[in-house]
Amino acid sequence: MVELESLMAKLEQMEHQPRIGLALAGGSAYGLAHIGVLRFIEEIGMPIHLVVGSSAGAAVGAVWACGVSSDQMHQAAKQSDWLFLAKPAAFKSGLLSSEGIENWISRFIGRRSFDELKIPFAATACDFRTGELVVLNEGDVAHAVRISCTLPGIYYPVEYQGRLLVDGGLVQNLPAGVCRSLGAEYVIGVDLHANLAAWKPRTVVRSVIHAAHILQRQHELVQLEQVDVAVQPKLGMMSPINFRPVDEYVDLGYQAAREAADELKSMLMGIVSE
């Protein structure tokens, strides 16, 4: 920790600080582990110049980019009943509306636009007609988060600028590539599916979830090649649809970030020696 603090001091003295991006993966309840990672980042004073999130990563990333601390998010998550995730269906399809997610995010950050955030932020989405990756970094932040969290099959797609958009995790669940494209010279990626082998699909629902994770993992492995430091919480024994054990998720995220301290130190040493 002392070495990290020393490197951080040297980084602050640099005339040109390279842009460090933070890519936060999606993963439903697994996304609560991001709070623990952010806690560690806050503790060591790591400068983050850009945050990009997919799905749950977009929700956590947007709130943090607005200036809400990891501790405040932790407390809010513990106090939530999570009923906003199941807003009654308003469509003949019988699918749920993701509007509750937007309203929940706006409780914390208001109706802010992207240019009002303290840290530049972007959320990923997917065009449900074409499968195209869509980067959301303009307009209303809470609405963008809602779109990025709109998991098809559960939520009805959101119409936005003539497109039907859904969860960005379909195309880039670990958005390292978007981080790079938006100017990040170094990327810290928080990968939520690194511990898949520990998952035990004992029921039909768990089996379907596991199958989806396997498919998603192939895209994530490609994105990991664009990451300088990978933070990989051991979440395989947890259920991605159980939002109740908040403390455990946060602790696992924090522990994984601490375990990546040597990689962070190596990255910083490379930066300050340039």
Side-chain angles (χ1 to χ4, degrees):
M1 291 289 286
V2 174
E3 289 179 284
L4 276 173
E5 291 171 1
S6 175
L7 287 168
M8 226 70 72
K10 291 180 181 179
L11 186 63
E12 290 179 1
Q13 295 169 6
M14 292 178 64
E15 186 174 342
H16 168 69
Q17 282 193 22
R19 285 168 59 84
I20 299 174
L22 182 63
L24 303 178
S28 299
Y30 285 175
L32 292 166
H34 289 314
I35 298 173
V37 176
L38 294 175
R39 175 175 292 169
F40 185 76
I41 287 174
E42 291 169 356
E43 284 183 2
I44 64 174
M46 171 70 73
I48 299 295
H49 307 100
L50 170 67
V51 180
V52 181
S54 291
S55 197
V60 175
V63 176
W64 194 66
C66 189
V68 179
S69 71
S70 61
D71 184 62
Q72 290 173 308
M73 282 191 279
H74 187 178
Q75 294 307 313
K78 288 179 68 172
Q79 294 167 11
S80 177
D81 58 16
W82 302 104
L83 293 178
F84 66 88
L85 293 171
K87 186 177 177 63
F91 307 98
K92 292 181 180 179
S93 66
L95 296 175
L96 299 175
S97 167
S98 57
E99 184 181 356
I101 297 172
E102 179 174 345
N103 294 337
W104 194 77
I105 293 295
S106 67
R107 282 174 45 198
F108 295 100
I109 67 174
R111 306 310 306 199
R112 299 199 189 198
S113 61
F114 280 86
D115 56 12
E116 294 179 290
L117 298 178
K118 293 187 176 182
I119 302 174
F121 167 75
T124 66
C126 172
D127 186 315
F128 204 39
R129 292 192 178 100
T130 66
E132 179 185 358
L133 171 68
V134 178
V135 178
L136 303 172
N137 58 359
E138 296 180 346
D140 187 279
V141 176
H143 190 61
V145 170
R146 169 193 176 179
I147 293 171
S148 189
C149 293
T150 298
L151 184 65
I154 296 177
Y155 297 116
Y156 194 83
V158 178
E159 188 169 351
Y160 181 78
Q161 296 184 351
R163 287 174 148 176
L164 283 181
L165 300 185
V166 294
D167 195 314
L170 268 68
V171 284
Q172 198 168 126
N173 195 53
L174 178 61
V178 174
C179 240
R180 294 280 184 191
S181 70
L182 294 177
E185 297 164 77
Y186 294 85
V187 176
I188 301 168
V190 185
D191 173 21
L192 302 180
H193 293 141
N195 193 217
L196 282 180
W199 176 252
K200 300 188 183 303
R202 296 191 181 95
T203 67
V204 172
V205 172
R206 289 169 72 94
S207 294
V208 170
I209 291 172
H210 190 60
H213 286 172
I214 290 172
L215 291 171
Q216 200 170 51
R217 191 65 186 155
Q218 306 314 306
H219 297 283
E220 292 170 342
L221 292 173
V222 172
Q223 292 302 309
L224 280 169
E225 295 176 2
Q226 300 195 54
V227 165
D228 294 283
V229 177
V231 179
Q232 298 177 307
K234 296 178 176 63
L235 303 171
M237 297 299 290
M238 308 290 288
S239 169
I241 57 175
N242 181 9
F243 289 81
R244 300 298 180 184
V246 174
D247 290 341
E248 192 169 350
Y249 280 119
V250 173
D251 288 345
L252 288 169
Y254 182 84
Q255 180 182 335
R258 283 189 65 92
E259 290 173 354
D262 286 343
E263 292 180 62
L264 289 169
K265 183 173 70 175
S266 296
M267 183 187 77
L268 291 170
M269 288 177 66
I271 293 175
V272 299
S273 63
E274 289 180 350

